[in-house]
Amino acid sequence: MTDISQSKFSDVVRVKQFAPVIELAWVDDLERSGQLTADYIVTEELAELFVDVLGSQFPGYEPVLSSIYKRRSHMITAQYGSGKTYFLLMLAGMLRAVDSDERFSQVLSKFSGFADVLRTLNQLKGRKYLVVHFSAKGQGHFPFKELLVKRLLEASQKVKGDIVLESEYTRAAEHLAGIVEIPAGGLFAQELETQQEMTISQLREGLLDLRPASLQTYRGVYKAVVGTEPSREGLDMKKSLASVLQELQELGYTHIAVVVDELTQYLLSSIQHRPLADTLGELEIFAEFCNDERNRYLSVAAMHRSLNRIMREHGMDPDQQEI
C-alpha cells in the first residue's frame, strides 16, 4: 500500500481546471468553445432549460419550465456565478452546429443521456441559423433598437459583406433632400465634391437606386462632416430585422438567433441616457417580433436581476409591460 501521508492533495486527486470566467464571444473561437463544450456539465435542470428554449420554436410545444417560457423570446434570470453565460455560449454553439454534420454529431453526443434534448435537437435539422451573440454590458449609450441592428448587421456582414438595409438608403436619401437648402448642406456638398467629384443630387439618385457604393459614400461624407457615423436609431426595427433574414436566404440561412448577455447591466446603464420605459418598449417590440413564428427569430437574454425588480425599483408597474 502506498503511503500518502506526505503527499500533496494534487498528487493524489486529479483536479480538473475550469475557466473561472466565461465570455460569450468565445463561441467564435472554435478551439476554446470546443473545449468548453467538452467540459460542460449537463444537469437535469439545464437539460430542461435547453428543451424549453429550443422547443419553443415549434408550434404546440408545452414548456417544462414555464417560468422562463415566452414563445420564442426568453429572459433567463439567475444570480452571478450561476452559469448563465456558459449556458448562452452552449446554446449559441448548438444552433451554429445545426448545419454541420460533424459539429452537430458532437452536440448530440454531449446530450446522449437526455432523450428530450436529443428529440428537440433533431427537430432543428434542415435549418441554418445566423447566431448574433453579444454582451450588452457597457453599451447603455446605445438605444436598444440601434444596438440590436448594429450587432445584427455586424454578424450578417461576416457572411455577406455587402448586406445593407433598404431603409438605410431611404433615410439617407431623405436626409440629403432636407439639407440642400440649409448651411449644413453646403458643407456636405463641398466634402462630397472633394471626395467623389459628385453632387448631392447624383448621390441621392444612387441611394434611391439602392446602390451599395452610394450608401458607403454617404456614410464616409457624413462622418467627415459630422464627426460620427450616421445613427440607425430612426430605423424601423421590425422591417430591419425582416430584411436581414431576407438578404441571407440566398446563402441558405433559414433562421436568426439573438443571444444577449448582461442585459441587467445594459438596462441600468441605459437609464443614464433615456427613460427606462423607452428601452423596455423597444424590448417589447423585439419580443413580439420574435414571438411571431413567421419571422423565424429566436431571442434569449440573460439577467442577474429580474426585470420585475428593476421596474419596481424605478417606479414602474411590471403588469403593464409584457416582455
Side-chain angles (χ1 to χ4, degrees):
M1 180 178 295
T2 304
D3 180 9
I4 64 171
S5 60
Q6 302 302 315
S7 302
K8 296 179 182 178
F9 181 77
S10 59
D11 293 334
V12 293
V13 176
R14 180 175 179 269
V15 180
K16 191 169 186 178
Q17 298 296 319
F18 291 92
V21 178
I22 304 295
E23 299 286 346
L24 186 55
W26 292 353
V27 74
D28 293 326
D29 185 330
L30 293 181
E31 182 176 351
R32 176 178 266 173
S33 62
Q35 186 59 53
L36 288 170
T37 299
D39 290 341
Y40 195 67
I41 299 173
V42 186
T43 64
E44 288 289 345
E45 185 177 14
L46 285 170
E48 290 177 348
L49 187 56
F50 279 115
V51 171
D52 271 1
V53 170
L54 296 172
S56 68
Q57 300 172 85
F58 303 105
Y61 173 74
E62 292 297 330
V64 179
L65 303 177
S66 58
S67 60
I68 61 91
Y69 177 71
K70 180 64 178 175
R71 297 190 183 96
R72 294 160 187 82
S73 60
H74 305 261
M75 284 192 183
I76 299 170
T77 306
Q79 63 186 8
Y80 274 125
S82 58
K84 299 185 300 298
T85 303
Y86 210 158
F87 173 84
L88 295 180
L89 185 146
M90 285 291 295
L91 180 69
M94 291 160 69
L95 290 170
R96 277 190 171 178
V98 170
D99 67 316
S100 167
D101 291 341
E102 180 180 356
R103 286 183 292 150
F104 195 57
S105 177
Q106 293 172 350
V107 170
L108 293 175
S109 176
K110 184 67 184 179
F111 292 92
S112 59
F114 300 91
D116 287 344
V117 180
L118 293 177
R119 183 163 50 251
T120 305
L121 286 170
N122 281 314
Q123 285 183 280
L124 300 177
K125 287 182 178 179
R127 298 185 174 197
K128 183 175 182 178
Y129 286 86
L130 176 76
V131 180
V132 183
H133 61 85
F134 60 92
S135 169
K137 185 177 182 179
Q139 303 296 307
H141 53 291
F142 286 112
F144 178 75
K145 175 172 63 176
E146 187 167 352
L147 176 62
L148 175 62
V149 173
K150 174 182 171 66
R151 297 303 188 196
L152 178 59
L153 282 176
E154 288 173 352
S156 302
Q157 286 164 353
K158 290 179 180 178
V159 298
K160 186 180 180 184
D162 61 348
I163 188 171
V164 289
L165 301 176
E166 182 173 339
S167 51
E168 282 198 273
Y169 288 101
T170 304
R171 290 188 67 230
E174 290 174 350
H175 173 242
L176 291 181
I179 67 171
V180 172
E181 303 299 332
I182 61 177
L187 294 174
F188 197 100
Q190 183 178 349
E191 183 65 29
L192 180 59
E193 172 67 25
T194 300
Q195 286 193 23
Q196 301 289 336
E197 297 183 352
M198 180 185 295
T199 66
I200 287 181
S201 295
Q202 290 172 325
L203 178 58
R204 189 166 182 272
E205 181 181 338
L207 289 168
L208 294 174
D209 284 342
L210 307 182
R211 300 173 194 165
S214 296
L215 186 59
Q216 185 176 358
T217 296
Y218 170 79
R219 288 172 177 163
V221 175
Y222 186 102
K223 186 173 183 178
V225 173
V226 181
T228 185
E229 296 279 353
S231 171
R232 293 188 173 104
E233 185 176 357
L235 295 178
D236 184 302
M237 185 195 301
K238 291 184 177 181
K239 288 182 179 178
S240 298
L241 297 175
S243 66
V244 169
L245 183 54
Q246 186 175 7
E247 287 269 348
L248 295 177
Q249 284 179 342
E250 65 184 57
L251 298 178
Y253 286 92
T254 61
H255 294 75
I256 292 179
V258 179
V259 182
V260 184
D261 200 9
E262 298 285 5
L263 188 60
T264 302
Q265 293 279 12
Y266 171 79
L267 290 174
L268 295 178
S269 63
S270 71
I271 294 170
Q272 302 174 32
H273 304 276
R274 70 197 63 84
L276 179 60
D278 292 355
T279 301
L280 294 180
E282 293 184 350
L283 281 167
E284 185 173 359
I285 291 172
F286 179 50
E288 290 174 349
F289 180 86
C290 293
N291 292 341
D292 186 337
E293 65 182 66
R294 295 170 298 180
N295 294 324
R296 291 171 288 158
Y297 266 71
L298 173 70
S299 168
V300 186
M303 306 179 67
H304 70 267
R305 191 186 303 181
S306 76
L307 189 58
N308 284 356
R309 177 182 167 185
I310 293 174
M311 293 174 69
R312 289 193 179 96
E313 288 174 349
H314 292 84
M316 298 181 66
D317 182 359
D319 294 332
Q320 301 301 313
Q321 209 85 24
E322 296 187 9
I323 299 179

